[in-house]
Amino acid sequence: MSRNRIEFIKELSNQLSYIMKPNEVKELVDYYDEMILDLMEEGLSEEEAVSRLDSPEEIKESIKGTPLEINLPISKKSSPYLIALLILGFPLWGSLVLALGLIILSIYIVVWCIPLVTGAIGFAGLVGGIVGTVFSPLALMDGFHIGVTQLGVGMLLFGVGMLATMFTINISKKVIINSQNLTNHLKSQLLFKRSEKR
């Protein structure tokens, strides 16, 4: 039996109204109507497009017992009980969220302390080494051994400062990459949980 588009839509609505909610029926009927229109745009006549689809009875049978994933509009109204629960539970969940935020912040601080400390050692070593080396000739006036010792200590400080500076540059790159990875991971977890709730 050939049907036109309107007859198919009416029959499908009637069949589905016994097993589905009205808003679910509307979404599914709109979906099949769109399919018919797409087939007609491809050059098929109305009856040919309808005949390509299963009959309304077959669609009804295939849907029975199958959970439908239909995007229904979510009610914007919030339950007063939920609001009261959120307000009364704030001392508990608020402190847990704050604790979690502070733990994450402390991880960042601890990780960034490493290049901060090595950078400070490098800066102090470089400055101390330059000052000690430059002013070592003045220490010669107090004695040859004092001048030579100051020159040696200045060069040692400069070498330690150079090593600490190179170490700081290398570890800073790794810390930046790891911090970005951690931030992206935390963002993806939060966004994933939000999309799950929706």
Side-chain angles (χ1 to χ4, degrees):
M1 172 186 167
S2 64
R3 298 182 179 93
N4 64 27
R5 178 171 147 257
I6 302 298
E7 290 169 345
F8 177 84
I9 296 301
K10 283 182 181 177
E11 180 62 27
L12 183 61
S13 297
N14 289 336
Q15 292 287 339
L16 296 178
S17 63
Y18 295 107
I19 61 169
M20 297 172 71
K21 296 175 184 174
N23 51 357
E24 293 174 341
V25 171
K26 183 184 181 314
E27 288 212 16
L28 205 56
V29 165
D30 288 345
Y31 169 75
Y32 278 98
D33 191 29
E34 188 68 33
M35 282 179 62
I36 293 168
L37 293 173
D38 288 344
L39 289 169
M40 288 169 63
E41 282 179 10
E42 291 175 11
L44 297 177
S45 68
E46 197 171 306
E47 285 78 17
E48 287 173 332
V50 170
S51 66
R52 289 276 181 98
L53 304 174
D54 292 337
S55 69
E57 294 82 9
E58 290 171 332
I59 294 170
K60 175 186 172 185
E61 289 303 316
S62 67
I63 287 174
K64 273 186 179 176
T66 305
L68 294 174
E69 292 184 5
I70 295 176
N71 295 325
L72 301 174
I74 298 169
S75 174
K76 298 286 183 184
K77 294 179 182 175
S78 299
S79 167
Y81 298 113
L82 178 63
I83 294 171
L85 186 64
L86 287 173
I87 292 170
L88 293 175
F90 178 75
L92 176 62
W93 67 260
S95 59
L96 290 174
V97 169
L98 181 63
L100 180 64
L102 291 174
I103 288 170
I104 293 169
L105 179 64
S106 66
I107 291 170
Y108 280 105
I109 290 171
V110 167
V111 168
W112 275 99
C113 274
I114 299 168
L116 183 67
V117 169
T118 57
I121 292 170
F123 179 75
L126 289 173
V127 171
I130 291 169
V131 169
T133 305
V134 168
F135 289 104
S136 61
L138 296 176
L140 286 173
M141 292 189 291
D142 292 333
F144 181 75
H145 63 285
I146 294 174
V148 170
T149 304
Q150 184 171 329
L151 178 65
V153 170
M155 292 177 75
L156 176 68
L157 282 175
F158 187 78
V160 169
M162 285 294 292
L163 288 174
T165 302
M166 290 190 302
F167 180 77
T168 302
I169 292 168
N170 287 333
I171 201 165
S172 293
K173 291 176 184 175
K174 292 178 182 176
V175 168
I176 289 169
I177 291 168
N178 288 332
S179 296
Q180 287 174 340
N181 290 340
L182 178 61
T183 304
N184 291 336
H185 178 71
L186 291 172
K187 279 183 187 175
S188 66
Q189 289 296 316
L190 289 172
L191 293 175
F192 177 70
K193 286 180 181 175
R194 280 185 188 172
S195 63
E196 269 186 346
K197 287 178 183 176
R198 287 178 189 173

